[in-house]
Amino acid sequence: MHKLLFTISILITYSFYGQEDYSSFYFEDSQPSNVSSIFEIQDSYLGSYYKQNDSLVRVIIEKDSIYTEFGILFIISQEELKKNKSITIENSLVHGIQPNRGIPFKIIEDTIYAVLIQQDLLFKPDSNHILKQQKNNYFLNSKNEKGYFSTTLLSLQSDTLMLKEIDHLEVFNLLQKIKIFKEVEQNNIKTYIANPTQNELNIFIREQGFSDLIKYHL
């Protein structure tokens, strides 16, 4: 059975692998550090947003959580259907792909195309996932095992939802403008850690420090 997987990639840990080097970047505190955490997203953001150029991937925003949803496309030939006794068609559904339930399908030129929808939790505020808001940006802060934070920006412009992440090597010159910016190396792996002031964070955002952009539409 052929399977094409369409997935969303919302990185929680920002890292890069080069020819001879591997490094990562974190903030020392949840951002913005001087803003209190919140536990709900305002109503104007709630809904389902489809990924630009890939409608099989979407982000679902609820008041207290954010999910990613994607489709897995299964392609089954009539010959394979005859050979594979675990896959059957009953009541207009394909059974044997997902445990205990069938999934919808469509037949095109004797080939069966079935889509299995998967949903994963992307972000939910708790002790390790800190949600903050400043102006038009939500900050999705996720704590790692060392107590440092990776941060994603969430914003909405008209009907376009934007998720912005940091490719730290791409914007390394901007990170170096932050006064408290250090490098820690363990087992030949470099970790860069920044602790910006509010003004430094604002400048970093304004100069497109969150450069890795994914767009979604209603």
Side-chain angles (χ1 to χ4, degrees):
M1 177 166 51
H2 301 289
K3 181 172 67 174
L4 300 177
L5 177 61
F6 299 86
T7 60
I8 185 172
S9 180
I10 300 293
L11 299 181
I12 301 302
T13 300
Y14 307 103
S15 60
F16 178 86
Y17 180 76
Q19 292 182 343
E20 299 180 352
D21 188 41
Y22 176 90
S23 64
S24 57
F25 168 76
Y26 299 94
F27 288 108
E28 189 167 343
D29 295 307
S30 59
Q31 298 301 309
S33 58
N34 65 331
V35 173
S36 299
S37 61
I38 58 177
F39 293 91
E40 291 187 345
I41 299 172
Q42 64 192 51
D43 290 347
S44 60
Y45 277 69
L46 307 186
S48 298
Y49 301 83
Y50 292 91
K51 187 179 181 181
Q52 189 176 50
N53 301 322
D54 190 352
S55 61
L56 284 177
V57 176
R58 64 175 181 163
V59 165
I60 302 169
I61 299 183
E62 299 180 352
K63 206 165 186 64
D64 64 347
S65 54
I66 302 173
Y67 296 88
T68 62
E69 187 177 86
F70 56 91
I72 303 175
L73 177 63
F74 292 86
I75 303 174
I76 311 167
S77 67
Q78 291 292 336
E79 181 180 353
E80 184 176 5
L81 184 63
K82 292 177 182 178
K83 291 181 179 179
N84 192 337
K85 301 303 181 181
S86 65
I87 299 177
T88 60
I89 295 178
E90 300 175 25
N91 300 323
S92 299
L93 298 174
V94 175
H95 295 263
I97 295 176
Q98 187 176 22
N100 303 318
R101 62 178 298 186
I103 63 174
F105 71 94
K106 186 173 184 179
I107 298 178
I108 302 176
E109 296 182 351
D110 293 331
T111 299
I112 295 172
Y113 296 85
V115 176
L116 173 63
I117 302 300
Q118 297 282 80
Q119 192 177 84
D120 294 320
L121 179 65
L122 174 63
F123 188 89
K124 185 178 181 64
D126 57 27
S127 58
N128 291 315
H129 300 85
I130 310 301
L131 178 65
K132 295 185 177 184
Q133 183 180 17
Q134 181 177 265
K135 296 182 179 179
N136 295 325
N137 288 318
Y138 280 98
F139 293 76
L140 313 181
N141 297 281
S142 295
K143 185 190 297 185
N144 72 357
E145 66 280 359
K146 300 291 185 180
Y148 300 128
F149 289 87
S150 57
T151 302
T152 299
L153 285 190
L154 172 70
S155 61
L156 182 64
Q157 293 184 6
S158 186
D159 64 346
T160 301
L161 185 76
M162 293 183 287
L163 286 171
K164 297 181 180 180
E165 301 169 343
I166 298 173
D167 181 337
H168 66 281
L169 295 183
E170 181 179 324
V171 298
F172 199 75
N173 61 322
L174 296 179
L175 290 170
Q176 289 180 307
K177 295 180 181 180
I178 298 173
K179 187 174 181 180
I180 301 179
F181 180 69
K182 59 186 179 181
E183 175 187 327
V184 177
E185 186 168 341
Q186 293 182 330
N187 300 323
N188 296 319
I189 298 176
K190 294 179 182 179
T191 299
Y192 299 99
I193 302 168
N195 190 11
T197 64
Q198 179 63 67
N199 186 55
E200 288 173 333
L201 179 63
N202 291 342
I203 293 173
F204 182 75
I205 294 172
R206 187 167 61 246
E207 295 184 354
Q208 305 302 316
F210 287 82
S211 60
D212 194 355
L213 170 63
I214 304 176
K215 291 184 178 181
Y216 298 84
H217 302 279
L218 285 172

